[in-house]
Amino acid sequence: MSSFRTLALSAGLCLLTACAAPQVERFYTLNGGAAPVAAPAAGAANFYVEVLAVSVPQQVSRNQLVLTASGGRVELLEQERWAGPLAAEIGQALSTAITGDLGAIDVYRTPYADKLPVYRISTNVQRFESALGRYALIDAVWSVRQLASGKVLTCRSVVNEKVEGGYDALVAGHRRALAQVAAQMAQAVRAFPADGRGC
């Protein structure tokens, strides 16, 4: 009887101390993973960019990955998380891609000389949808402002990437979508219109 009590007591203690295998949290980033881009040589850049802080919908502005489910439902994944705040992840990914494409320097929150033109890029992500095994969607309204003239180009990018099953594939889909948005932004800077009209 005493061995039975000992066994029962051990089982009870095991439950109280959560001796089951702990659940592992996985962290994902939207930045990095691509081939490194050489920084422009000193004095080589023809202009600067300022990639401002990005705004994202409140529903996805959290550390957990948020899945889009049927019937208007969303699912918060406690074990699958972004490495940093989602808005910061998006902003860093855009900045890295844009500066790599243009060979420019992002001077946001950094002092800089006034001798080069500056293009300020603002981004408002209106939809950031993650449908596991189906698609990764980004719908963003963004603008490029030439600071010297005050002229503004306002555009919208909607990118829907099909993805396979699994969280790695979903994050990779968002990376591809952001790369497309960044390429459109870089092209807008490169071909900034004299009249400042929208896209």
Side-chain angles (χ1 to χ4, degrees), residues 51-183:
V51 182
L52 302 185
V54 174
S55 65
V56 298
Q58 193 63 35
Q59 300 94 317
V60 295
S61 182
R62 54 188 73 237
N63 288 84
Q64 303 98 324
L65 267 67
V66 179
L67 294 186
T68 302
S70 59
R73 283 189 308 111
V74 294
E75 298 175 6
L76 271 62
L77 305 178
E78 289 298 333
Q79 307 308 316
E80 317 295 329
R81 294 172 173 260
W82 297 113
L86 179 58
E89 285 282 325
I90 293 172
Q92 187 179 15
L94 290 174
S95 174
T96 301
I98 292 166
T99 55
D101 189 334
L102 296 172
I105 299 171
D106 185 352
V107 294
Y108 180 51
R109 293 180 176 167
T110 305
Y112 56 87
D114 293 335
K115 59 184 179 181
L116 293 179
V118 180
Y119 294 89
R120 178 172 290 164
I121 302 172
S122 303
T123 310
N124 175 13
V125 176
Q126 299 188 331
R127 293 164 64 201
F128 186 93
E129 296 183 6
S130 306
L132 192 63
R134 295 165 54 206
Y135 65 85
L137 181 143
I138 295 175
D139 180 352
V141 173
W142 50 273
S143 66
V144 177
R145 177 185 294 272
Q146 189 180 55
L147 294 192
S149 66
K151 292 177 180 176
V152 179
L153 179 70
T154 301
C155 308
R156 181 183 181 194
S157 298
V158 181
V159 183
N160 190 337
E161 282 285 322
K162 291 183 180 179
V163 299
E164 301 294 330
Y167 302 115
D168 289 347
L170 182 63
V171 173
H174 277 303
R175 284 186 176 194
R176 293 194 303 272
L178 279 173
Q180 291 186 53
V181 175

